[in-house]
Amino acid sequence: MAAPATPLEPLPPAVPKPFGLLACKPEYGVRVCAGNGTTERVPSFDGVPLDSDVTLPARGRGPFPLIVMLHGLAGSKVDFEYPDNAGPVNNVSFARDGWAVLNYTARGFGKSCGTAASRRGAPRCARGWLHLADQRYEIRDTQYLAGLLVDEGLVKPSIAVTGISYGGGQTLELAMLKNRERLTNGRLVPWVSPKYHVPMSIGAAYAEWGWDDLVTALDPNGALSTASYSKPSVDLAPAGVEKQSWDDLLYAATSLYYLSPPGVDPTADLTTWHHAIDAGEPYSSVAERYLRQLEEYHSAIGIPMPAGGPAPLVMQNGWTDTLFPVSEALHWSSRYGADHVNPPLLQIFDDVGHGWAQGKRADIALQQREAVTFLDDVMLKHARPPTGVIAIGTTCPGSAPSSPILRASSWHALLASGSMVTATGGSHAQVVTSGGGSRSVAADLNPAYHSPYCDPLPAATEPGTAHYTVVRPRSSPLVLVGPLTVRATLRVKGSYPELVARLWDVNPATHRRQLVEAGDYRPPVNQAAGTSTSSVATTVATFELEPNLWTLAPGHLLVLELVGSTAPWFRASNGRFSITVTRLTASVATR
């Protein structure tokens, strides 16, 4: 992020020296205390040196309210630094409002042991590889650095945290830990500052593009329901369908930095884990252990609920984010009712996030305004912040303003304010095959490498697929909100079946179709290692597509398509199968 060419007026010399290392100087109307990435790195709890910066208000010795800003995968401390035209979420804007701000590069990236140059002459970098947002390492790093600043008397012990993507997932883990930390042996203990043992906690959090469960995000099996709470074990039984293009892209990004050598560290063996998942069915014991680790130590879902619930939280996820979609946020909030907690929670759902998300400026500006207001209310004004759900509709083309903008007290209230549309396939059987579908359509839908969302495709019927009309042409627009829920009887023949569902907005006048929602389902039958191509089993399936807020134009059709593969987005099965679909119903909420 480029710094402005002209800083604001000079300020008096700064007195504090964060971490006993960082000299502060006046810039941009605040005090910037920047580490040099070599001799001024801050040793973490295990000695791994972390490249860190602190930004302080123009005057005062503290203690200030602290916000920690966590970067995305393969990013660095500078990602949230310096004011620009992207909005108020940066170190300078927060410091001007009275906050102390901590920006640091996560272990294993950049100058926090992530490059060969940063490890040279630094013996504590020898095991400074990344642990993929592990609560025992990356999350504890954040807690430890904040604790050092508390011990110096520079910041208050109730802190705020924000992050995006990789940092967003860590933000959710911190909010769920709240006033606890996880030791390297896995044990949860009260979170206290390192020297004076001051009790600490997360006072408020703002997570962008984050995940609740890395298993459902990277290897979903379709068992997740947004209507009710489901236990983490449900997401592993059976193991799901790998989002292969995303997994490959994320592994390629991390491999540019410092990964544990294969077989050396069982807590961070990303290379071995990646190859085990990428090999597909039948999943090995290594792959199964990896998936369990993702839930237990790398996801908020694996953390027991704290007393009183998580920290007050703003949670933003994108309808069109194919990596960490809205269902991750709904998975999170469903625990509140199940555990009978009600801390402040504001959820923002819009067209912002990883590919396909369009990230329109107005949507980003709205969510940032809401989030900063929330953080200020909780941390600076000590007032109850606005809560509920803000839902901003997805629109095409990309130049069109997002609409409608809906507000409700909760997700269930948002859905309950409308009605349902339900379609049925009757008893007419349709067959989906593992070899069916169009390779060119699948390539066009690969979100990791083909990002434009508003990219209508030909409305031709693909071989080996099933089709159902959910909504026929109408004379007025119809607003769809939430996930399409599919219920059907599946007769499976063959091994390692998978089913990908795609919901299309079809324009009969142009014979083009726009994808609205998608999702996958792993039938819990014929998944055993010894299953043959002649094995037959029947199951009754209920699964959801990823939610959206979409307006169906007058004269358009809403069509559900079931296909046996959409590789390379969802990995193609190693097996061969056919699925006969009967008694199908599909329903979605409307406004």
Side-chain angles (χ1 to χ4, degrees):
M1 190 177 292
T6 306
L8 299 184
E9 69 280 357
L11 299 171
V15 175
K17 195 171 186 180
F19 304 118
L21 291 173
L22 308 182
C24 302
K25 63 179 181 179
E27 288 186 285
Y28 316 114
V30 297
R31 289 172 288 182
V32 177
C33 320
N36 60 16
T38 54
T39 58
E40 295 172 351
R41 293 184 290 183
V42 183
S44 190
F45 69 93
D46 57 356
V48 171
L50 302 176
D51 185 20
S52 307
D53 294 345
V54 173
T55 309
L56 300 173
R59 290 169 177 80
R61 294 172 179 260
F64 302 105
L66 173 68
I67 185 166
V68 185
M69 311 188 83
L70 303 172
H71 61 76
L73 191 77
S76 75
K77 65 180 184 179
V78 302
D79 287 5
F80 280 111
E81 291 188 339
Y82 304 114
D84 64 4
N85 59 5
V89 183
N90 61 70
N91 64 326
V92 171
S93 294
F94 274 104
R96 286 175 178 170
D97 287 341
W99 297 78
V101 185
L102 170 61
N103 299 79
Y104 77 95
T105 301
R107 65 170 61 211
F109 291 110
K111 294 180 180 179
S112 293
C113 306
T115 64
S118 71
R119 297 192 292 275
R120 196 171 298 123
R124 299 312 295 264
C125 271
R127 295 181 67 88
W129 44 69
L130 64 94
H131 283 73
L132 198 64
D134 194 320
Q135 298 146 32
R136 300 166 294 182
Y137 294 92
E138 282 92 343
I139 305 306
R140 197 171 170 195
D141 287 339
T142 297
Q143 295 172 316
Y144 184 81
L145 294 183
L148 291 177
L149 296 176
V150 167
D151 283 337
E152 291 176 345
L154 195 58
V155 305
K156 299 175 181 179
S158 178
I159 73 169
V161 62
T162 184
I164 190 167
S165 189
Y166 186 63
Q170 293 180 68
T171 297
L172 293 176
E173 290 177 273
L174 284 158
M176 187 61 76
L177 283 168
K178 193 177 179 179
N179 57 3
R180 302 164 294 172
E181 63 180 345
R182 196 182 285 277
L183 305 181
T184 53
N185 63 10
R187 192 162 61 93
L188 288 171
V189 298
W191 174 22
V192 296
S193 64
K195 183 176 181 180
Y196 296 117
H197 307 296
V198 178
M200 296 189 62
S201 66
I202 301 298
Y206 169 33
E208 298 180 81
W209 314 7
W211 69 86
D212 180 43
D213 184 354
L214 268 180
V215 171
T216 57
L218 299 178
D219 205 67
N221 64 7
L224 169 64
S225 169
T226 63
S228 60
Y229 173 68
S230 58
K231 295 181 179 180
S233 58
V234 170
D235 302 329
L236 295 167
V241 181
E242 179 195 22
K243 291 182 183 176
Q244 187 172 37
S245 60
W246 273 122
D247 277 353
D248 289 349
L249 180 63
L250 296 175
Y251 177 71
T254 57
S255 63
L256 297 174
Y257 296 91
Y258 191 28
L259 296 183
S260 167
V264 171
D265 185 352
T267 71
D269 197 351
L270 269 64
T271 297
T272 300
W273 295 344
H274 171 72
H275 293 324
I277 293 294
D278 224 33
E281 311 87 1
Y283 280 134
S284 67
S285 59
V286 172
E288 291 174 349
R289 283 199 307 272
Y290 169 50
L291 292 174
R292 288 195 296 271
Q293 279 215 33
L294 284 185
E295 281 201 333
E296 186 172 6
Y297 295 122
H298 307 261
S299 303
I301 196 172
I303 303 171
M305 181 68 72
L313 173 67
V314 180
M315 191 177 192
Q316 179 272 329
N317 286 82
W319 307 112
T320 47
D321 186 330
T322 50
L323 181 57
F324 302 139
V326 165
S327 60
E328 289 299 312
L330 298 175
H331 208 187
W332 166 282
S333 57
S334 67
R335 290 183 68 182
Y336 285 35
D339 288 325
H340 307 290
V341 297
N342 189 32
L345 174 66
L346 175 62
Q347 293 183 301
I348 303 173
F349 304 142
D350 52 17
D351 185 11
V352 177
H354 303 90
W356 298 314
Q358 300 180 86
K360 299 177 183 179
R361 285 184 177 271
D363 298 352
I364 295 171
L366 187 155
Q367 75 180 44
Q368 289 185 336
R369 286 195 305 270
E370 295 283 349
V372 171
T373 297
F374 185 102
L375 295 174
D376 285 350
D377 283 348
V378 174
M379 299 295 293
L380 304 184
K381 300 177 183 178
H382 306 292
R384 182 157 182 100
T387 58
V389 172
I390 302 174
I392 305 172
T394 307
T395 54
C396 290
S399 57
S402 298
S403 68
I405 299 177
L406 308 176
R407 294 177 183 257
S409 59
S410 68
W411 175 251
H412 292 295
L414 183 71
L415 298 184
S417 60
S419 58
M420 297 292 292
V421 166
T422 301
T424 179
S427 58
H428 175 62
Q430 297 194 54
V431 179
V432 177
T433 65
S434 52
S438 162
R439 291 185 179 182
S440 64
V441 170
D444 283 335
L445 293 178
N446 183 357
Y449 296 97
H450 185 81
S451 293
Y453 179 69
C454 297
D455 187 16
L457 300 175
T461 300
E462 299 176 42
T465 64
H467 297 80
Y468 306 88
T469 299
V470 180
V471 176
R472 299 191 180 280
R474 299 161 47 96
S475 59
S476 58
L478 182 66
V479 177
L480 313 170
V481 56
L484 183 83
T485 300
V486 178
R487 298 175 180 84
T489 299
L490 309 179
R491 183 179 181 273
V492 177
K493 182 179 180 181
S495 58
Y496 310 126
E498 63 184 62
L499 198 60
V500 177
R502 306 191 294 219
L503 186 65
W504 297 95
D505 177 338
V506 180
N507 184 347
T510 62
H511 303 287
R512 308 284 287 182
R513 55 180 178 167
Q514 168 67 48
L515 191 68
V516 177
E517 296 181 0
D520 78 291
Y521 178 70
R522 174 77 83 179
V525 296
N526 291 16
Q527 302 291 347
T531 307
S532 72
T533 56
S534 60
S535 299
V536 177
T538 299
T539 185
V540 177
T542 299
F543 62 95
E544 296 178 356
L545 282 62
E546 294 295 347
N548 201 352
L549 176 55
W550 178 262
T551 300
L552 188 70
H556 285 208
L557 292 162
L558 191 67
V559 175
L560 169 65
E561 176 189 48
L562 302 180
V563 60
S565 172
T566 188
W569 175 11
F570 289 101
R571 188 189 184 284
S573 173
N574 286 340
R576 293 176 59 193
F577 60 84
S578 64
I579 302 175
T580 302
V581 185
T582 56
R583 299 179 180 177
L584 181 138
T585 62
S587 57
V588 63
T590 65
R591 300 278 293 193

